[in-house]
Amino acid sequence: MKQAVTAKAAAPRNGRPNAEGSALVGLYRKVAPDRLRRVVADRYSPEARRRVKQSIGSLGVGQMLGKVRGTHLATVHRSLVAGSGALVMTVGGRPRITFVDAGLSPEATRRIGLGAVTEALAAAGVDYFCVRNQERRASTVAVAASDRARAVTALQELTRTVPAYFGPIGPDDKRVLPAYQAANWRRFARARALRLFWYRTDPGQNLVLGPEHGCDIEFWAVEGDRLVAPRRNSITESVPVDGACVEVPATVFTAPWGSSTSTGMTVRTRPEFTTTLPRDITFPVDVVYTWVDGTEPAWLRRRSQFSGSDYHAEAANAARYANHDELRYSLRSLAMYAPWVRNVYLVTDDQTPDWLDTEQPGIKVVSHREIFADPSVLPTFNSHAIESQLHRIDGLSEHFLYFNDDVFLGREMAPGGFFLANGLTQFFPSPALVPLGPPSVDDVPVSVAGKNNRALIQARFGTTPTQKMRHVPHALSRTVLAEIEEEFAEQHRATAANRFRSPQDIAIPSSLHHYYAFHTGRALAGDLEYMYIDVSLPNAANRLDRLLLARDRDVFCLNDTLSTEEDFETSSSLLRPFLDAYYPVPSRFERSA
């Protein structure tokens, strides 16, 4: 493993760029590779480009990527660390030993680190117990201060075998030191807590996870017959010195939602840390997608048959249903950032993406025929009609999230971002307003449905909703949806019966549910870090670049409202590289290549 410490790739230096070239080097480190050539061509002279190519040309697509929760990534060095399963990457301007993980995710990174620490302590005979901390992003292991020397020896031996780093615990502590260098342990000789972490990346080296997902080791002081915590946690300030330990799933401590879902790995803890807190969400949460392949000839023929339009005209308008494989990447965002989701239901018109592995547990394709109360209204091409029947999905959990396939989780989320532990749902109003007045011929369909929703809320509760909802996962209750079907039976039946969008439609899961649940005491307004990008607009490329670099949004939506069929290649060349870079790890729902 000594090679892992010393091995390091360097970019060839065939010349030094001038000031203009130096600016280009900065761009190479900040801009996604697929867009780099165009950005450079737009802004810099051919001579400057030639000099930069000489300086760093061999790095190619190794330039990447941005910032992951405060960790800046610089140029990716491709040299593998021989025999270690690791490579060396420049992170924060310094070479770092980085392990490759085909199943990279924040939760898995925490679990692997926690497993390494607890196994090392157990092998050395050091007693430990895991703690539910307040930060939630890192895991925590407690050791009695009297066992400090033995614990440090065990961890030093671990980090000589599997090179790790000391990471920042406090927000102002920016130190990152190699833990495999023995001298660095002396810097933490008096620390009441320290963080070990391993840099981990996906096989394509698009994403790096680091100190924010490490494992904290706390040294609990012995005071009489109590062990006293060196800092606050979520449960207790002290435990008995001779208290019993219990074995629990590791995800109790590696999942920020306090999940007890088992991955087969268990760890020791004290019974106090198995306590269920009022904030803990213990009910299951499913996800529902509605999806259509609007370019499939059979679907287009059905649509033409009922619309009365010429099939070729429908086919020419297929760009409106352009498929950039958004569903694939939205599912990847769930797998990486919301592994607490129990089941995913894909509602379709008897269509299944060819890449989707429907044999995997936790995914089910649901036909419209299975959920419509009146099958005679099928086939339908009206999203409002399809959405009106979602609560009829067999086996669906009481609390679920409704996703459109152009909506993505941008970073790790807990179910508490959408639900309260007492069952209330959260909704996320948009600053955009529904125009006042009754529906008119000048209104777009979303405004018409919004006005119809508003009329129902006005008549039932006497308030006037004016705000639209953000394009985010909609937190829904089956009970509330069923109640809406009864309360507004006439409008509900009419919407379900409209094969195409109609001026009489109501929009149920994306708006009416939220206002109705709010007025009946079952929902409240929440907030998310959110971004909406219309990929048909001229500034879309720059906004995508910034999003990729920052990765600082809980949720984002990539919508396409104005593109024509001729624009498909342009929007695809923009979206696909972005999505590949943001979500490089395939989900288990994808068939093997």
Side-chain angles (χ1 to χ4, degrees), residues 128-156:
Y128 75 87
F129 55 92
C130 293
V131 174
R132 283 191 63 180
N133 60 34
Q134 291 185 322
E135 184 185 0
R136 298 189 178 196
R137 288 192 296 161
S139 59
T140 301
V141 175
V143 174
S146 56
D147 286 332
R148 182 188 189 106
R150 295 168 58 225
V152 167
T153 299
L155 295 175
Q156 280 184 299

Side-chain angles (χ1 to χ4, degrees), residues 283-335:
F283 50 77
V285 177
D286 292 338
V287 164
V288 174
Y289 285 91
T290 53
W291 182 80
V292 62
D293 180 359
T295 61
E296 182 190 47
W299 184 87
L300 286 168
R301 290 190 188 94
R302 288 198 299 275
R303 193 175 189 278
S304 297
Q305 176 186 351
F306 287 94
S307 68
S309 301
D310 178 67
Y311 165 70
H312 297 289
E314 296 281 5
N317 194 37
R320 182 170 176 266
Y321 304 96
N323 177 20
H324 303 289
D325 256 1
E326 291 96 337
L327 177 64
R328 181 197 298 267
Y329 296 99
S330 187
L331 285 171
R332 287 186 182 187
S333 81
L334 281 185

Side-chain angles (χ1 to χ4, degrees), residues 60-75:
V61 296
Q63 323 307 130
M64 214 50 170
L65 262 178
K67 186 173 70 174
V68 182
R69 301 301 292 260
T71 301
H72 293 272
L73 310 186
T75 307

Side-chain angles (χ1 to χ4, degrees), residues 470-531:
R470 288 178 167 174
H471 291 70
V472 298
H474 295 291
L476 303 173
S477 158
R478 290 186 77 178
T479 298
V480 172
L481 291 172
E483 195 172 309
I484 287 173
E485 183 176 13
E486 294 182 5
E487 181 77 20
F488 309 113
E490 181 181 348
Q491 295 85 354
H492 197 282
R493 281 195 301 270
T495 298
N498 290 328
R499 281 199 169 93
F500 299 89
R501 286 197 173 187
S502 162
Q504 286 75 48
D505 283 352
I506 53 177
I508 299 172
S510 61
S511 177
L512 184 60
H513 170 280
H514 305 317
Y515 283 119
Y516 184 87
F518 172 77
H519 283 89
T520 55
R522 288 172 285 183
L524 75 165
D527 193 23
L528 291 170
E529 292 294 330
Y530 164 75
M531 179 178 285

